[in-house]
Amino acid sequence: MSKEINKAWEATLRKSSGTKKRASSIFTQMSVAHVDDDMSAEVCQVEKILPNGDFYTGQWVEKFPHGQGKYLWTDGCMYVGEWITGSTMGTGRFSWPSGATYEGEFKSGYMDGKGTYIGASGDTYKGCWVMNLKQGQGTESYPNGDFYDGEWKKGLQNGQGRYQWKNGNQYIGQWKNGVFSGNGTMMWNNGNRFDGAWEEGLPKGNGTFRWSDGSFYVGVWSQGPGEQSGTYYPSESSPESSTDWDPQNLYSVELNDCHICPCEKVAIYPSQKTLSGCGGDEDNRPLLKKRTDGSGRPRWTSEDGRVSSYSCNDGNVGFDGGRKSGFSAMEARSISTRSSFTRLRIKNPKRQGETISKGHKNYELMLNLQLGIRHSVGRPAPTPSLDLKSSAFDPKEKVWTRFPTEGSKHTPPHPSSEFRWKDYCPVVFRALRKLFKVDPADYMISICGNDALRELSSPGKSGSFFYLTNDDRYMIKTMKKAEVKVFLRMLPAYYKHVRSFENTLVTKFYGLHCVKLTGTSQKKVRFVIMGNLFCSQYAIHRRFDLKGSTFGRTTDKPESEIEPTTTLKDLDLNFIFRLQKSWFQEFCRQVDRDCDFLEQERIMDYSMLVGLHFKETTSAGTVAPTRISLAGGCTPTGVEDGRSRLSGVDADNLAVDPSRWIQLGINMPARAEMTVRKSTSETPQLVGEPTGECYDIIIFFGIIDILQDYDISKKLEHAYKSFQYDPTSISAVDPRQYSKRFRDFIFRIFVDDT
């Protein structure tokens, strides 16, 4: 591709997010009035042979094609479709002399929006385009029988995607610039698979190679043999088996035939085709003009005034009657008021936490934790059944293991001090990991790989410390003894609930453990391993912890000090969230189910954790509204800053495979509408008034902190604060009252995007 096209592509993307109006834009307020309302600009039906031999037939205004028309270039290229003031705009079909075709949306001369390209060799792409390049969600069928389904950027596979070879092998995972990069899974047709990190199209870093018989090799992968290290684990069916398999075979043998088929190159882009001599006097066909008779009906007449029987409904080239409604007077006014909306400022997210390296006060604790997890998950055990006996949930069902420094029959030697390790209800948590589709090898790699854990900068309000795995998939939280008792008490009901409702929003727990240090301190550290809601390819720009109460529910930070990692609260919330109807209905059902479960278990003080990724961010860190309305409620305008808005990864394009890409609360396309609170009373307004400013977002949400029961301390807190403050405004209330208040609040800020 030429540098000129690449520069034009990037420049237009920058311009599409700006607020400054361009006089040259064909969609300014003046041009809308001129085209749609000023009848002095007559629409003509013409057939022209242009000076260089190009041919045009269709609708014409002044010196340009405008409306429906067909243009045939002398080199054999042809466009049939919609025009606006000489530019291909709307839906159309472009064909090349080679036989290649593109059919779909055009903007300002570019293939832009949804469209299908079929190459001369049979290469077929169907999906989203931006400035002639594949961008967003799309599928590609290759001439050799390979297939790709996923995300694109600047014409290359980029983001999450699945590539399937003709022989049945497939890769599912992350891409960058057209090659495997990030976390991904390669599955061969013989049942073998590799799960792990990739770089420049090859395994690099932590990963697991698994054979079809269940045995696997866990380690650090590199094409350089000196950097390769790992451990072989036999299958449960043959625990005594061993292997002399060379890990380098993954590169030289297993991946030898897994090549990515290149996409067919476009010979010349539609935006590079120019119109010749439009509006000249060299026409050799009669020029028809549209006029209006006394009844107001449009009629066609020739230059000499003779009336034609040709009407707007005749033939294949008709006037675009739908375009007027797309640029109504109300929308023209909304365009002119667009610049009055405030742009959000978004800072670049930073990686959370401090890496626990040697010398850190919790370095030995991290080593103990990793050794314990590797022992618990890696030891041979029968395949867990999801139908558990009641004895598996007994709080006394725990396993102690001693880890001496020099090692033992069941434990490896280690550089840390001697410690003891406890697994609570190991059979239950093994079944939970299976239920949540967590692969044991991946689980070990995330927590116990060569990469260290990260400690979050400050403990939570409860005094607990939080740790993140390097890949952000899991969060580890230290727990008090009372929390462990509550968890073990509710574990049977929790297991039954998450097994019954796979879309549950409550936190997913994967393990409950304890480390007991030997020596004089005899210190016990209890911790739970849970899923990280914000582990995603999307950067989280805003996060909220929402309870539905007002007392103490603000961060008291000015906008300039709010970071993407700042957890905002109820009175900081300035949005309502609009979900697609089907998702909204399932959301309401699941919130009711989860709240019923927590109420029955006498749990309170839980929160809805919400994370937002704003899709239309600029390089300057600003976000402009993408949907606006003058009458309360978001409606698409199709126009931004006086011109058509370039398409991105639209919400409906993300949902190609909801079971894999999107689930309730994860990677969900939605819209956030800005709200403003009224300060007319002493009582703070919990939910503000909608303003009509909407932003395209990817939203994440889940119910967290579900291990606080309504014990004597919470009852005393409620009684004490009720003397000083409004009892309904405080967080510590009876579980039934808490559940009702929580639901009422959540169903006010999450609404159906009608």
Side-chain angles (χ1 to χ4, degrees):
M1 183 193 318
S2 68
K3 293 182 179 179
E4 180 181 352
I5 291 298
N6 214 358
K7 289 180 179 178
W9 190 90
E10 293 172 350
T12 306
L13 279 181
R14 289 194 297 269
K15 291 176 183 177
S16 68
S17 60
T19 57
K20 183 180 178 182
K21 295 192 174 184
R22 279 78 168 176
S24 61
S25 171
I26 62 174
F27 287 139
T28 60
Q29 196 170 350
M30 180 180 295
S31 67
V32 169
H34 176 71
V35 172
D36 290 333
D37 300 323
D38 186 0
M39 296 307 295
S40 63
E42 296 181 345
V43 178
C44 309
Q45 184 70 23
V46 302
E47 289 185 357
K48 287 176 174 282
I49 294 179
L50 302 170
N52 68 342
D54 291 354
F55 174 78
Y56 174 80
T57 177
Q59 293 174 307
W60 191 272
V61 169
E62 293 186 339
K63 297 183 179 181
F64 301 102
H66 184 85
Q68 289 281 354
K70 177 171 72 174
Y71 195 105
L72 178 63
W73 285 268
T74 53
D75 62 0
C77 291
M78 182 173 69
Y79 171 81
V80 180
E82 294 178 281
W83 298 78
I84 291 187
T85 322
S87 180
T88 54
M89 182 78 68
T91 57
R93 185 176 188 273
F94 191 95
S95 58
W96 287 261
S98 63
T101 61
Y102 169 84
E103 188 165 359
E105 296 176 341
F106 288 81
K107 293 178 184 173
S108 302
Y110 295 89
M111 299 183 290
D112 197 293
K114 295 179 183 177
T116 300
Y117 176 86
I118 302 176
S121 60
D123 190 334
T124 302
Y125 171 83
K126 184 177 183 180
C128 296
W129 299 75
V130 172
M131 296 286 291
N132 291 334
L133 300 179
K134 302 163 188 174
Q135 173 97 353
Q137 195 74 28
T139 61
E140 180 97 22
S141 300
Y142 299 89
N144 66 351
D146 293 354
F147 179 79
Y148 174 80
D149 176 5
E151 294 176 298
W152 300 74
K153 185 176 181 180
K154 294 188 178 181
L156 296 172
Q157 298 95 331
N158 203 95
Q160 195 75 12
R162 173 176 66 91
Y163 190 100
Q164 182 165 332
W165 284 266
K166 183 180 180 180
N167 62 6
N169 296 344
Q170 63 175 317
Y171 169 85
I172 301 175
Q174 295 175 311
W175 297 68
K176 186 176 181 180
N177 297 328
V179 296
F180 315 143
S181 183
N183 292 321
T185 298
M186 177 72 76
M187 293 177 283
W188 285 268
N189 54 19
N190 61 4
N192 295 346
R193 62 184 284 167
F194 174 83
D195 303 86
W198 298 74
E199 187 177 296
E200 297 295 330
L202 295 172
K204 178 74 172 178
N206 291 325
T208 302
F209 186 89
R210 186 177 292 97
W211 285 268
S212 56
D213 65 358
S215 56
F216 56 90
Y217 179 94
V218 181
V220 178
W221 299 80
S222 175
Q223 203 169 10
E227 300 175 15
Q228 176 80 41
S229 63
T231 305
Y232 171 77
Y233 292 87
S235 66
E236 295 173 353
S237 58
S238 53
E240 302 301 323
S241 65
S242 61
T243 182
D244 55 0
W245 183 73
D246 182 359
Q248 290 298 303
N249 287 351
L250 176 61
Y251 300 92
S252 59
V253 179
E254 305 290 345
L255 292 172
N256 194 41
D257 296 327
C258 297
H259 302 294
I260 306 301
C261 184
C263 300
E264 179 178 306
K265 294 187 180 297
V266 179
I268 185 169
Y269 294 103
S271 58
Q272 295 174 299
K273 302 297 293 179
T274 58
L275 308 187
S276 173
C278 293
D281 298 326
E282 297 84 356
D283 308 343
N284 63 348
R285 299 293 181 97
L287 182 64
L288 297 179
K289 291 189 175 183
K290 178 190 172 190
R291 305 186 189 278
T292 305
D293 61 15
S295 64
R297 292 178 301 174
R299 300 293 290 171
W300 293 87
T301 64
S302 64
E303 285 288 5
D304 58 8
R306 289 177 295 179
V307 178
S308 169
S309 60
Y310 188 96
S311 71
C312 295
N313 298 322
D314 293 338
N316 295 324
V317 184
F319 189 77
D320 184 5
R323 185 170 298 282
K324 173 111 175 147
S325 63
F327 298 96
S328 64
M330 177 177 287
E331 288 177 331
R333 289 196 300 274
S334 69
I335 296 168
S336 66
T337 59
R338 189 177 183 89
S339 59
S340 66
F341 290 123
T342 303
R343 284 174 171 262
L344 287 178
R345 291 207 163 270
I346 301 296
K347 297 181 181 178
N348 290 327
K350 297 178 182 178
R351 192 170 173 81
Q352 276 188 288
E354 174 191 1
T355 301
I356 303 177
S357 54
K358 197 165 185 177
H360 191 283
K361 63 178 181 178
N362 289 324
Y363 179 69
E364 281 205 0
L365 178 62
M366 180 191 73
L367 292 181
N368 297 344
L369 187 154
Q370 292 178 324
L371 285 165
I373 294 291
R374 187 183 291 271
H375 170 77
S376 299
V377 179
R379 66 177 176 228
T383 303
S385 168
L386 296 181
D387 297 317
L388 302 180
K389 298 179 180 179
S390 58
S391 59
F393 297 94
D394 189 338
K396 297 178 182 178
E397 185 72 17
K398 47 197 172 190
V399 178
W400 279 103
T401 305
R402 179 171 163 267
F403 280 77
T405 304
E406 66 278 8
S408 68
K409 181 180 178 181
H410 301 290
T411 63
H414 59 87
S416 180
S417 302
E418 180 177 325
F419 68 95
R420 294 184 71 197
W421 172 265
K422 182 196 287 188
D423 281 322
Y424 293 92
C425 301
V427 175
V428 177
F429 285 102
R430 192 179 288 263
L432 281 171
R433 291 193 293 270
K434 180 180 179 181
L435 185 66
F436 295 142
K437 298 178 175 59
V438 174
D439 182 81
D442 292 342
Y443 187 68
M444 278 198 294
I445 284 292
S446 292
I447 301 173
C448 315
N450 288 357
D451 297 315
L453 302 177
R454 305 197 313 276
E455 183 179 71
L456 298 191
S457 57
S458 61
K461 183 180 177 182
S462 63
S464 299
F465 285 84
F466 291 86
Y467 304 92
L468 279 172
T469 57
N470 188 64
D471 59 7
D472 290 331
R473 292 176 67 180
Y474 303 103
M475 183 173 283
I476 301 168
K477 176 189 175 185
T478 61
M479 301 179 71
K480 296 177 181 178
K481 186 176 182 179
E483 289 180 302
V484 173
K485 287 184 176 180
V486 171
F487 191 16
L488 292 175
R489 172 183 62 78
M490 65 181 286
L491 188 57
Y494 172 83
Y495 182 83
K496 180 180 178 181
H497 182 75
V498 298
R499 188 180 179 188
S500 300
F501 306 109
E502 66 173 343
N503 278 337
T504 181
L505 299 176
V506 298
T507 304
K508 290 180 170 63
F509 295 112
Y510 302 113
L512 183 63
H513 311 281
C514 176
V515 170
K516 183 179 180 181
L517 304 177
T518 57
T520 56
S521 65
Q522 295 286 308
K523 179 182 178 183
K524 285 185 179 179
V525 181
R526 303 170 183 86
F527 56 90
V528 65
I529 302 174
M530 51 193 177
N532 177 20
L533 181 64
F534 295 153
C535 177
S536 171
Q537 67 200 51
Y538 297 105
I540 303 299
H541 297 129
R542 284 283 190 276
R543 58 188 72 199
F544 297 90
D545 182 286
L546 306 172
K547 295 186 177 184
S549 56
T550 56
F551 178 72
R553 300 298 296 162
T554 180
T555 57
D556 289 328
K557 280 189 175 184
E559 180 71 24
S560 59
E561 294 181 17
I562 294 177
E563 301 287 339
T565 54
T566 303
T567 301
L568 304 171
K569 299 180 182 179
D570 300 66
L571 294 180
D572 303 311
L573 180 66
N574 55 346
F575 297 104
I576 58 173
F577 307 116
R578 297 184 171 274
L579 306 182
Q580 296 173 17
K581 186 171 184 177
S582 58
W583 284 118
F584 176 71
Q585 292 171 343
E586 176 60 23
F587 170 78
C588 293
R589 287 191 292 265
Q590 194 57 55
V591 169
D592 281 333
R593 293 166 185 153
D594 291 339
C595 287
D596 287 343
F597 158 67
L598 296 172
E599 183 181 330
Q600 290 166 9
E601 294 302 310
R602 302 289 294 165
I603 301 297
M604 42 76 66
D605 214 19
Y606 43 88
S607 309
M608 180 72 80
L609 184 64
V610 178
L612 308 181
H613 169 82
F614 291 92
K615 290 164 63 178
E616 303 293 339
T617 55
T618 68
S619 57
T622 61
V623 188
T626 55
R627 303 285 191 274
I628 59 178
S629 170
L630 300 179
C634 302
T635 56
T637 64
V639 177
E640 179 170 294
D641 304 326
R643 61 184 296 136
S644 60
R645 184 169 60 86
L646 291 175
S647 60
V649 185
D650 294 334
D652 55 341
N653 296 330
L654 278 173
V656 171
D657 187 352
S659 64
R660 187 171 79 241
W661 305 121
I662 302 171
Q663 65 186 80
L664 189 65
I666 303 293
N667 290 338
M668 284 186 60
R671 294 195 286 174
E673 182 174 0
M674 183 77 77
T675 60
V676 175
R677 287 182 174 83
K678 295 178 181 178
S679 54
T680 56
S681 63
E682 294 181 2
T683 304
Q685 187 181 8
L686 190 56
V687 181
E689 302 296 328
T691 63
E693 296 182 46
C694 286
Y695 302 84
D696 284 340
I697 60 170
I698 302 296
I699 191 170
F700 303 78
F701 50 80
I703 298 175
I704 64 169
D705 295 337
I706 64 169
L707 299 180
Q708 178 61 60
D709 66 344
Y710 195 51
D711 58 11
I712 186 63
S713 65
K714 287 295 179 180
K715 291 176 181 177
L716 290 173
E717 180 185 344
H718 173 76
Y720 174 75
K721 289 183 177 178
S722 294
F723 282 114
Q724 299 174 295
Y725 310 102
D726 178 3
T728 62
S729 70
I730 60 180
S731 180
V733 295
D734 175 85
R736 180 176 296 178
Q737 182 183 347
Y738 192 95
S739 174
K740 182 180 184 306
R741 184 181 65 187
F742 180 80
R743 286 188 239 200
D744 290 345
F745 172 63
I746 293 301
F747 294 149
R748 289 178 64 193
I749 61 171
F750 284 84
V751 298
D752 185 359
D753 193 4
T754 51

